[in-house]
Amino acid sequence: MARLVMKFGGTSVADIDRIRNVARHVKREVDAGHQVAVVVSAMSGITDQLVGWCQAALKKRQLFDAREYDAVIATGEQVTAGLLAITLQDMDINARSWLGWQLPILTSNAHAAARILEVNGAELIRRFNDHKEVAVIAGFQGLHQETARITTLGRGGSDTSAVAVAAAIRADRCYIYTDVDGVYTSDPRVVPRARRLDKIAFEEMLELASLGAKVMQVRSVELGMVHNVRIFVRSSFDRPEDIDPHRNPPGTLICDEEEIVEQQVVTGIAFSRDEAQISVREVADKPGVAAAIFVPLAEANINVDMIVQNVSADGQTTDLTFTVPAADYHRALDVLAKAKGAVGYARLDGATDVAKVSVIGIGMRSHAGVAAQAFHALAERAVNIRAITTSEIKFSLLIDAAYTELAVRTLHSLYGLDQATS
Ligand code: ASP
Ligand code: MG
């Protein structure tokens, strides 16, 4: 007997037929004697629709009350939790739904981006033991205890609910059922030879998720790492009847690096085209200049990523180049224009037709020269590198957006990630 969390995303519960398919996946585990807590997302498209209604309700104001926004957008998950409980009962499985406030799942007060503080799993465990009851939990939502208001965890937050529940009930495994059958070495739409990873370490997954791989919410991976919850990403579109209980199903295990015996140097290549580059030209090379540039950007909530400083063309001053999310590009230029007096630069240059390509792998800790190989391979293909950043287990390169595919495929082959052709 094992204790499992099974999380199903929006496309997996998109209509009643799919909810029934989910119920069959749950039944399979229950029939095998396992204790099961299910965490569900809203049916796909519902949360977007709810957000749209909040926006449409405003005529005069710019911003809505985040507490009421949460009261609205948390409802999508309530519907799916109830529907799945009904479907399970219809299959003669003892099941009940749970909303965030009922368990409760306690969170911070940061409406629309709340953090989970505590999950009470005691009642779930009691009911597993005494009544063999399946718990169907609405993902994405929680409760701020002092104000007794409903909170939500940020878009994609049901993943985080699932991992938090898994930690609270000390589950043996947390299954993330989704519309892809695992985590890939790169985006298969861009790299046809990308392959599914059997295992990936928490830290690598954290980088991949932060760099834009949309498989899981970043917070959920962080939480899994902190509580050492083994997470298995797999497809919900498989038919439960076809699953061979004696073999590992297709999917990717996100786990502690200790569990990964044959560690590759590079595990995956991520990329993002949602980047913009800004260069602040000819600033005085003296203390306080970086603060004069980056503090106002931080105050405007603009995330600065790669930063490079080099000598200006005049040889006297310095140029500071950095990247911001493309969506914040114009706002960043405005902020810098206002700070011109305080910074004292000659001019601003910028570009939005840039992309960030990142190479990730825990093996880089113990291997030298991994990035140098990339520089060489890209130079051979005449791909110019505009900026570079490195950390212990990844490096990122900023290049012209037009070369994104070429660069990603080149690096994918270079590090031996290509799937063997059959
Ligand atoms: N329904 C929420 C969203 O669409 C949460 C989730 O699906 O994880 O963002
Ligand atoms: Mg999701």
Side-chain angles (χ1 to χ4, degrees):
M1 197 262 314
R3 190 175 288 161
L4 309 174
V5 168
M6 304 171 78
K7 184 262 170 179
F8 294 90
T11 45
S12 310
V13 292
D15 55 37
I16 298 295
D17 282 342
R18 293 214 183 139
I19 290 178
R20 195 152 263 275
N21 194 52
V22 163
R24 285 157 59 228
H25 277 288
V26 174
K27 183 174 187 321
R28 208 185 120 249
E29 302 293 4
V30 171
D31 289 349
H34 302 315
Q35 300 185 335
V36 182
V38 190
V39 175
V40 285
S41 288
M43 296 160 108
S44 68
I46 294 293
T47 311
D48 286 337
Q49 185 180 60
L50 294 168
V51 170
W53 283 344
C54 290
Q55 281 156 352
L58 289 185
K59 286 275 178 276
K60 213 169 74 212
R61 299 189 177 198
Q62 295 291 316
L63 278 180
F64 24 65
D65 181 335
R67 294 164 299 187
E68 303 307 347
Y69 171 83
D70 275 353
V72 175
I73 65 168
T75 58
E77 274 70 13
Q78 175 166 347
V79 173
T80 349
L83 286 173
L84 180 57
I86 291 173
T87 313
L88 286 166
Q89 289 168 0
D90 191 51
M91 295 172 151
D92 298 320
I93 295 169
N94 194 14
R96 77 152 273 185
S97 65
W98 294 89
L99 300 180
W101 63 268
Q102 292 173 315
L103 275 177
I105 295 176
L106 299 179
T107 73
S108 71
N109 199 17
H111 282 276
R115 283 181 164 247
I116 295 180
L117 302 175
E118 196 190 307
V119 177
N120 188 340
E123 183 62 12
L124 299 186
I125 295 174
R126 194 184 67 76
R127 286 165 180 256
F128 290 150
N129 292 332
D130 296 355
H131 306 293
K132 296 195 180 336
E133 188 178 86
V134 172
V136 185
I137 301 161
F140 184 49
Q141 49 170 269
L143 172 75
H144 181 246
Q145 199 165 32
E146 283 95 275
T147 56
R149 304 292 308 247
I150 289 172
T151 54
T152 65
L153 309 177
R155 298 306 304 270
S158 301
D159 295 328
T160 303
S161 310
V163 176
V165 167
I169 64 172
R170 297 180 299 281
D172 298 289
R173 212 177 246 214
C174 178
Y175 288 116
I176 302 288
Y177 282 86
T178 180
D179 49 9
V180 290
D181 64 356
V183 180
Y184 279 70
T185 49
S186 193
D187 184 340
R189 285 166 301 185
V190 168
V191 186
R193 297 178 74 183
R195 47 185 176 80
R196 191 180 61 230
L197 293 157
D198 289 333
K199 290 183 180 180
I200 184 169
F202 287 118
E203 272 185 77
E204 294 170 322
M205 189 62 207
L206 198 56
E207 293 284 2
L208 270 182
S210 317
L211 291 165
K214 299 208 168 49
V215 189
M216 288 183 73
Q217 200 194 33
V218 177
R219 277 286 296 145
S220 69
V221 184
E222 250 166 42
L223 210 61
M225 185 156 92
V226 171
H227 296 285
N228 201 9
V229 175
R230 300 166 86 244
I231 300 169
F232 192 75
V233 179
R234 59 192 290 186
S235 168
S236 69
F237 296 141
D238 298 344
R239 285 160 25 106
E241 307 69 52
D242 298 341
I243 297 173
D244 178 347
H246 305 294
R247 292 181 49 192
N248 283 336
T252 303
L253 181 68
I254 309 172
C255 58
D256 197 276
E257 61 182 282
E258 308 281 291
E259 268 192 66
I260 303 176
V261 189
E262 276 183 53
Q263 181 69 58
Q264 305 270 349
V265 177
V266 169
T267 306
I269 318 273
F271 59 90
S272 152
R273 295 189 183 91
D274 305 325
E275 311 284 323
Q277 176 187 328
I278 295 176
S279 296
V280 186
R281 302 286 186 203
E282 294 175 34
V283 293
D285 195 1
K286 60 169 201 233
V289 166
I293 293 174
F294 295 119
V295 170
L297 289 170
E299 280 168 0
N301 256 320
I302 297 172
N303 251 323
V304 172
D305 182 26
M306 312 172 94
I307 303 179
V308 187
Q309 180 173 359
N310 51 264
V311 176
S312 303
D314 66 4
Q316 309 293 316
T317 52
T318 178
D319 286 354
L320 264 159
T321 295
F322 52 89
T323 61
V324 297
D328 292 333
Y329 176 64
H330 293 288
R331 229 155 47 81
L333 289 178
D334 284 348
V335 169
L336 292 168
K338 290 205 185 80
K340 181 161 187 183
V343 181
Y345 57 79
R347 62 175 202 285
L348 297 175
D349 290 336
T352 50
D353 52 349
V354 294
K356 182 172 73 177
V357 176
S358 305
V359 176
I360 296 143
I362 275 190
M364 278 187 223
R365 275 196 205 127
S366 48
H367 283 77
V370 181
Q373 283 176 278
F375 303 151
H376 184 72
L378 293 179
E380 277 189 334
R381 283 163 188 77
V383 178
N384 183 39
I385 299 168
R386 293 162 164 260
I388 304 166
T389 52
T390 64
S391 76
E392 209 185 5
I393 65 159
K394 83 152 201 233
F395 63 90
S396 298
L397 309 173
L398 192 71
I399 60 170
D400 290 347
Y403 294 112
T404 313
E405 269 102 0
L406 175 66
V408 173
R409 285 183 200 148
T410 300
L411 299 177
H412 199 268
S413 312
L414 175 70
Y415 295 113
L417 298 175
D418 286 352
Q419 192 169 43
T421 41
S422 43

